[in-house]
Amino acid sequence: MMNIEEIQSLIPQRYPFLMLDKVVELKEGELIRAYKNVSINEDYFRGHFPNTPIFPGALTAEAMAQAACILLKKSIPDLDATLFYVTNIKIRFFKVIVPGDQLHVMIKTIKMTRIGGLFETQALVNEEIVAKGEMTFACK
Amino acid sequence: MPDTRKDNLEQELREIIAKIVEIEPERITLEANFVEDLGMDSMMALEILAAMEKKYKIQVPEEKLNQLKTLKDAIKLTEDYLK
């Protein structure tokens, strides 16, 4: 329901740091679901790790944060924020993510305001939870 | 609000705040200013507000966030919206 052009119109991140490919569901003020396709072509696999490519947990968190930014911007349309800063994050990782996986990010709003928001976050691969937690970010 | 319930509310809120700000609960006196005395920022205040809403099943409007400056304020806001 939201392609890459629309995603880029809402968040400032760009290559090599755009961690979402498609948004498939968005309920303003409530939740968002988005996908990130993990490809062996991505540059960080050269070092993370040599001969054992594993998608970095920090980038799973980044995908979650980017989805939450889109949810915030769509929920508060007149919000003129252009930058987002993570201020708190607590995520538990359950399984590794590897090239070929499709990362399914699900974000639910805990509290959303014009200065930022708190979100419940989950990431799934093949409908199995690979990471979950909470994050807070500020926007300016 | 009866005194016992108010005491419990004070203690519960003190523990919620201590956990979020990661400081000893004893430092959170009724009058200690979240920013000046406890080193809190606006996003921590937002986390406290969200934790209050979850714990007491209340809804506090965003504009009340700038009234949340001390434990005493947190108690008053909770009481106001529990009514």
Side-chain angles (χ1 to χ4, degrees), chain A residues 63-76:
Chain A
M64 292 167 165
Q66 291 181 12
C69 291
I70 292 171
L71 178 58
L72 184 69
K73 286 205 84 168
K74 288 294 277 184
S75 302
I76 309 176

Side-chain angles (χ1 to χ4, degrees), chain A residues 76 87-88 110-118 134 136-139, chain B residues 20 22 41-43 46-47 49-51 53-54 59-62 65:
Chain A
I76 309 176
T87 60
N88 194 8
I110 298 171
K111 181 83 180 168
M112 192 183 276
T113 72
R114 302 183 73 83
I115 63 163
L118 263 82
E134 278 187 18
T136 307
F137 62 76
C139 49
Chain B
I20 290 170
E22 296 180 39
D41 61 29
S42 59
M43 299 313 290
L46 185 60
E47 287 181 26
L49 195 66
E53 290 187 337
K54 185 178 177 186
Q59 284 278 317
V60 182
E62 179 183 342
L65 191 61

Side-chain angles (χ1 to χ4, degrees), chain A residues 30-55:
Chain A
E30 289 181 39
L31 66 91
I32 185 169
R33 293 195 300 115
Y35 284 99
K36 154 78 181 157
N37 295 308
V38 179
S39 165
I40 190 64
N41 274 330
E42 292 171 36
D43 203 38
Y44 41 74
F45 285 129
R46 288 198 295 168
H48 198 278
F49 298 94
N51 304 319
T52 312
I54 291 174
F55 186 66

